[in-house]
Amino acid sequence: MAEHKHSRRKFLRGAGAVGIGAAGLIGAANLASASGETTGTGSGSRTEPARPKAAAAPGVKGKVYAGYQGWFAAAGDGSPVNAWTHWASGTPAPGNQSFELYPDISIYPASGLYQTGYANLGDGRPAKLFSSYSTAVVDQHFKWMQEYGIDGAALQRFGSDIAAVGQPRLKQRNDIQSKARDAAQKYGRGFYIEYDISGLTDANLVSTIQNDWTNTITGSLGLTSSPSYAHEGGKPVVELWGIGVTNRAGTAQGSLEIINWFKKQGCYVIGGVPRGWRTDSNAKPGFGSVYAALNMVSPWNVGNPNVDQQLFNDDMTKLKANGQDYQPVIYPGFAWSNWHDGSPKNEISRKSGDFMWQQAVAVARSGTKSAFIAMFDEYDEATAIAPAATDKSQIPSNQYFLTLDADGTHLSSNFYLRLAGAATKMINGSTGIVTEVPIPPVG
């Protein structure tokens, strides 16, 4: 499906954890407690953290943001595209889907749900899916961010969309991001634009992004004028994802040009870079000066099945020495067997939350107080932290989907939202480092 050309995961398959070196691979089971840390065991240890009051995130340092795709659509949703996208090409039905993790539709607004071609769910309810174009759905997503203590969202803005000037897909992207702005303001969450350069070329990367930022982001949409738009040191935040990635556009010269252009506009620039950015491992060579020009570096970690404490530590050490900031990426797990034939089910297991939690522990130990959660709403590759089907009762009876009980523990559908809130507090230093998942499975 053409829409899935956006996928970041594709450049990592086959690379996996290659090129990091055995010394940099530390499994979750090897993360022993350090002095001053607690294990989370005991009768009073697995309590849910208190939910914070609404407060706009003024920056990105000391904050935890979640990537926000906002790319699902359905026929009849009133959107400019007005067709099923990302769930499937055409009506989702058995054998025709491009997503792995089924949402818990019971807690999505009914006005944003659309009937699929699947049989009823295991509990008898009609099998419906949401549209990201629904104002009520976007509102609900940001309400959850507030409720569970996630600082805000990095709004994904794809090169293939912004290059489609005058086409419905760009209008749809603009409309959804305007709705996200309104919801962020309503619930006191921060947000910033993250350009995913997928779909651009070496020739048009610089001019296309410059035109979009000038004419649309700061122009017609006026997103940076929102009181919820993230500013760091008084500078509006923008991220460029794909810098140095081997199968993405951008020469070193062009990448440096667009980074420096944003700086001249008074922006604080984050770079989404390959995991092996320091060593040119599974990365384009000769990008050292490009990485050094960034204000904050955010190495992509999705696809790495290990918890790399040494990697986080080494990234932090290098960036601190350079006077740069560090935003490591953590994620819950990964699978895409429903739309990649031959791929295993539950490919990178969530381990009932322990996989993401041990990454958060490693981030906290590295010394940075910032992080990026991949992703808030990506049901496609089963990286979503948004509410998901807990068991077979919440998925269609005639199609396999990954459910949250896949690793043998029954989890409530909001488990990963609760876990993300707890991880945010540990990473930003509000709580101490706890080496075991500190929340109950159901809550």
Side-chain angles (χ1 to χ4, degrees):
M1 169 175 182
E3 288 290 322
H4 278 283
K5 290 180 181 178
H6 294 158
S7 173
R8 301 177 178 189
R9 169 70 175 171
K10 290 180 181 178
F11 91 90
L12 281 173
R13 273 325 280 164
V18 176
I20 297 171
L25 302 179
I26 301 176
N30 295 328
L31 287 173
S33 298
S35 176
E37 300 173 4
T38 58
T39 64
T41 57
S43 59
S45 62
R46 301 179 79 86
T47 57
E48 183 178 351
R51 295 170 183 169
K53 297 179 181 178
V60 288
K61 293 169 63 174
K63 304 291 181 180
V64 176
Y65 281 77
Y68 190 77
Q69 304 285 27
W71 59 16
F72 296 106
D77 64 3
S79 69
V81 172
N82 196 33
W84 287 100
T85 55
H86 270 273
W87 296 122
S89 179
T91 303
N96 180 40
Q97 58 272 317
S98 49
F99 70 108
E100 189 82 1
L101 186 67
Y102 209 88
D104 175 6
I105 62 170
S106 70
I107 51 178
Y108 272 97
S111 62
L113 295 174
Y114 296 85
Q115 182 62 46
T116 69
Y118 298 116
N120 286 349
L121 306 184
D123 61 11
R125 288 178 294 137
K128 297 184 177 184
L129 291 166
F130 70 81
S131 168
S132 299
Y133 195 75
S134 166
T135 301
V137 167
V138 177
D139 188 89
Q140 181 64 72
H141 284 162
F142 280 81
K143 183 178 180 181
W144 282 328
M145 291 180 206
Q146 179 206 52
E147 182 178 359
Y148 295 101
I150 301 164
D151 290 315
L155 305 185
Q156 311 297 291
R157 195 165 177 85
F158 301 98
S160 50
D161 286 343
I162 65 174
V165 176
Q167 296 184 28
R169 63 184 299 170
L170 179 55
K171 186 179 188 315
Q172 180 136 335
R173 176 65 46 184
N174 291 343
D175 288 351
I176 290 171
Q177 295 189 334
S178 294
K179 294 176 183 186
R181 172 202 57 207
D182 295 344
Q185 292 174 181
K186 180 177 179 180
Y187 294 107
R189 300 299 91 188
F191 75 96
Y192 61 88
I193 290 296
E194 178 180 348
Y195 284 106
D196 183 323
I197 65 175
S198 303
L200 297 179
T201 67
D202 289 355
N204 72 6
L205 183 146
V206 173
S207 61
T208 303
I209 293 176
Q210 286 176 341
N211 290 337
D212 185 73
W213 182 261
T214 301
N215 298 330
T216 305
I217 301 304
T218 63
S220 59
L221 297 185
L223 295 185
T224 57
S225 298
S226 167
S228 286
Y229 195 91
H231 282 65
E232 190 60 55
K235 300 177 179 181
V237 174
V238 64
E239 179 166 357
L240 299 167
W241 187 91
I243 298 295
V245 173
T246 55
N247 63 352
R248 295 301 190 271
T251 62
Q253 179 181 353
S255 300
L256 194 56
E257 181 180 350
I258 190 63
I259 291 167
N260 287 333
W261 181 84
F262 271 115
K263 286 185 168 183
K264 289 178 181 177
Q265 310 308 304
C267 295
Y268 176 95
V269 185
I270 304 173
V273 305
R275 188 165 63 251
W277 67 281
R278 283 183 291 101
T279 60
D280 284 347
S281 173
N282 296 303
K284 292 179 180 177
F287 269 63
S289 62
V290 178
Y291 304 140
L294 296 164
N295 297 110
M296 176 178 268
V297 175
S298 185
W300 190 241
N301 194 43
V302 175
N304 181 7
N306 300 283
V307 178
D308 300 328
Q309 182 69 69
Q310 192 63 52
L311 184 69
F312 290 147
N313 291 350
D314 291 347
D315 282 350
M316 181 64 178
T317 298
K318 182 174 179 65
L319 292 170
K320 186 175 181 180
N322 289 348
Q324 295 171 280
D325 300 318
Y326 181 34
Q327 186 193 56
V329 173
I330 65 175
Y331 74 109
F334 169 85
W336 58 3
S337 68
N338 269 350
W339 50 292
H340 276 253
D341 291 341
S343 294
K345 297 177 179 178
N346 198 18
E347 183 172 348
I348 299 178
S349 167
R350 293 184 173 218
K351 299 180 181 177
S352 302
D354 191 59
F355 180 57
M356 179 169 144
W357 186 255
Q358 297 307 329
Q359 293 170 69
V361 169
V363 167
R365 284 175 166 168
S366 77
T368 185
K369 295 185 180 298
S370 311
F372 181 103
I373 297 175
M375 307 287 284
F376 186 86
D377 57 337
E378 188 159 331
Y379 294 96
D380 317 47
E381 298 174 0
T383 62
I385 61 169
T390 60
D391 53 40
K392 289 184 178 180
S393 71
Q394 295 185 338
I395 64 172
S397 60
N398 61 347
Q399 174 63 48
Y400 166 81
F401 286 99
L402 183 67
T403 54
L404 296 187
D405 67 347
D407 300 313
T409 301
H410 178 73
L411 306 173
S412 57
S413 68
N414 68 352
F415 177 83
Y416 285 92
L417 289 172
R418 292 187 289 119
L419 192 68
T424 295
K425 287 189 171 185
M426 180 172 65
I427 290 168
N428 70 24
S430 297
T431 61
I433 296 175
V434 179
T435 60
E436 292 186 11
V437 173
I439 61 170
V442 177

